[in-house]
Each structure stands twice: as C-alpha cells, then as structure tokens.
Amino acid sequence: ETPEAEPGPTPGPTRWGICSAGAISHDFAVALKTLPPTEHTMVAVAARDLGRAQAFARRFGVPRAYGSYEELAEDPDVDVVYVGVVNPAHLPTGLLFLRRGRAVLMEKPMALGAHEVAKLVETARERGVFLMEGFWTRFFPAWRRLRSLATGGDLGTPLVLRGELGFDLGGVPRLREPGLGGGVLLDLGGYGLQMALALLGGGKPPTSLRAHGVLHPTGTDWGALGRTGGHWEWEGIGERWEGL
C-alpha cells in the first residue's frame, strides 16, 4: 500500500500592504477585516502624509505606518499591495510595486487609458507577479451565475444591457477635474461597461466601442452625475457596441 502523504505546512495569511490612507482604502480595510485573520491580515500602510498613515494604522490595528510609498514597496513582509491612490497616480504607483516584485490589487480604474494599462500588464508579466483591477462585483455569486448563463448560451445572445446606477456626487470636486482623472466613466461608468464587455455577444469582445454622453464645462464626461440616479445602456450592433 502507498503510504499516505504527510500533510504539508499550513500556509500563513496573505499579508496586505495598504497604499494610501484615503476613504476608499478605509472601505477596503473594513471589508478585509470581515475575513478571518488566519487568511488575510494587514501588516503595513503608507501615505504621503505620515500622520494620516499612523491614524489609519491605529484605527485598523496595522503594525507599521510609512510616510512614503517607496518604504512600503521595500517592506519584505508584504505579499500584496492594495493601491487606493487617485486615478492619475495608478500607473506610477502600480509600476513602483510591480517592479519590486509585489503583487498588486489596483482600485478601479486600472489606469487612465489603454496605453497605461498595457504598461502595467507588461511589467507584471515581465516580473511574474499578480496584477488585478479591483472590481468587487465580479465576485458576487449572483454575477457569476448571470455570466455563466450568458456565456453558456442559456440566454441566447444578449444584445442590450440597461441599468441604473448613481450617487449624489455633484459636490465632489475631484470628479470634475480632468487632471485628477475625473468623470463619470472612470468613477461609476466602469460598472456598466465591464458588464457589457462580459455579457453582450456571448462574452466576445467588440471590435469597436462608441459612447454618447454629456460633457461638464471642465471637459470631463458628466452624464447624470450630481443627481441621485443615472441611466446607462449598451447595445450590441453586430460586432460594434454603442453606449448611452
């Protein structure tokens, strides 16, 4: 008889570093705290302002606080970094951690455009490290079931996707500033777009995309931003998709 293999060592928890002590990083930390500490734990947090990092560390019981992202990148105890910086900083901050061999969970959007995303993906592949955009809705059981139905042909070939999603964000200056990566598409619009990419046409990527919307005087895409709800619609026309 073949002897039973000895059980291997129990893996330790995934050790998280938190980059930025802003509101979105607070939300992520609250969510992470709901998971067993034997599986996930925060070991360090970094912000450009050391005082903010220290306040974050005290609130969530994080052992180490840094006043620069570079210090976090050099911390040998960090397995993966959650990056919650403002949109224009996603590319340089992501490259910083990837080049140090740190896995990265990047808050959406991954970056400001396809060329920036390509740089992040290329660097992750070169270094052989994990990189993912943080769309939490992709992990909902209901979403996984819907996607399996759509891609499996149970719903035919979906051609139209309509939805309502909106928050009263008219008082958030960042969303009106092009230099800060503002606009509805990079904030809430990504939810509808990523659903369209996954569901329409049986999950096959379109050959082209075209969107219609309203621009704010600053030049950012505005749509219904500032009201309590917004309507979006994506329609598949052959292999071309149009968004409203």
Side-chain angles (χ1 to χ4, degrees), residues 185 209-213 234 241-244:
L185 180 61
L209 288 170
R210 186 166 64 180
H212 310 275
W234 287 89
W241 296 357
E242 293 195 3
L244 176 66

Side-chain angles (χ1 to χ4, degrees), residues 9 30-31 41 44 50 77 87 102 131 165:
V30 169
T41 183
L50 179 59
D77 293 330
N87 293 345
R102 304 284 181 247
L131 168 68
L165 175 64

Side-chain angles (χ1 to χ4, degrees), residues 182-198:
V184 69
L185 180 61
L186 292 177
D187 195 83
L188 297 180
Y191 286 108
L193 181 56
Q194 68 97 16
M195 290 183 71
L197 288 170

Side-chain angles (χ1 to χ4, degrees), residues 61-78:
V62 181
R64 294 186 293 282
Y66 299 120
S68 72
Y69 302 155
E70 290 78 8
E71 291 176 281
L72 179 61
E74 296 296 339
D75 190 321
D77 293 330
V78 172

Side-chain angles (χ1 to χ4, degrees), residues 86-110:
V86 294
N87 293 345
H90 284 194
L91 176 62
T93 308
L95 291 176
L96 169 68
F97 293 114
L98 292 172
R99 287 168 177 167
R100 298 299 200 285
R102 304 284 181 247
V104 170
L105 176 62
M106 182 71 72
E107 180 56 50
K108 65 166 186 65
M110 179 73 80

Side-chain angles (χ1 to χ4, degrees), residues 16-107:
W16 289 86
I18 307 298
C19 177
S20 176
I24 194 68
S25 293
H26 278 73
D27 292 345
F28 180 79
V30 169
L32 202 61
K33 279 287 192 177
T34 67
L35 302 176
T38 53
E39 297 180 7
H40 295 274
T41 183
M42 289 178 283
V43 297
V45 57
R48 293 299 186 191
D49 182 318
L50 179 59
R52 294 187 67 195
Q54 291 172 333
F56 186 103
R58 288 192 297 269
R59 177 174 178 180
F60 294 104
V62 181
R64 294 186 293 282
Y66 299 120
S68 72
Y69 302 155
E70 290 78 8
E71 291 176 281
L72 179 61
E74 296 296 339
D75 190 321
D77 293 330
V78 172
D79 297 318
V80 55
V81 179
Y82 168 78
V83 178
V85 297
V86 294
N87 293 345
H90 284 194
L91 176 62
T93 308
L95 291 176
L96 169 68
F97 293 114
L98 292 172
R99 287 168 177 167
R100 298 299 200 285
R102 304 284 181 247
V104 170
L105 176 62
M106 182 71 72
E107 180 56 50

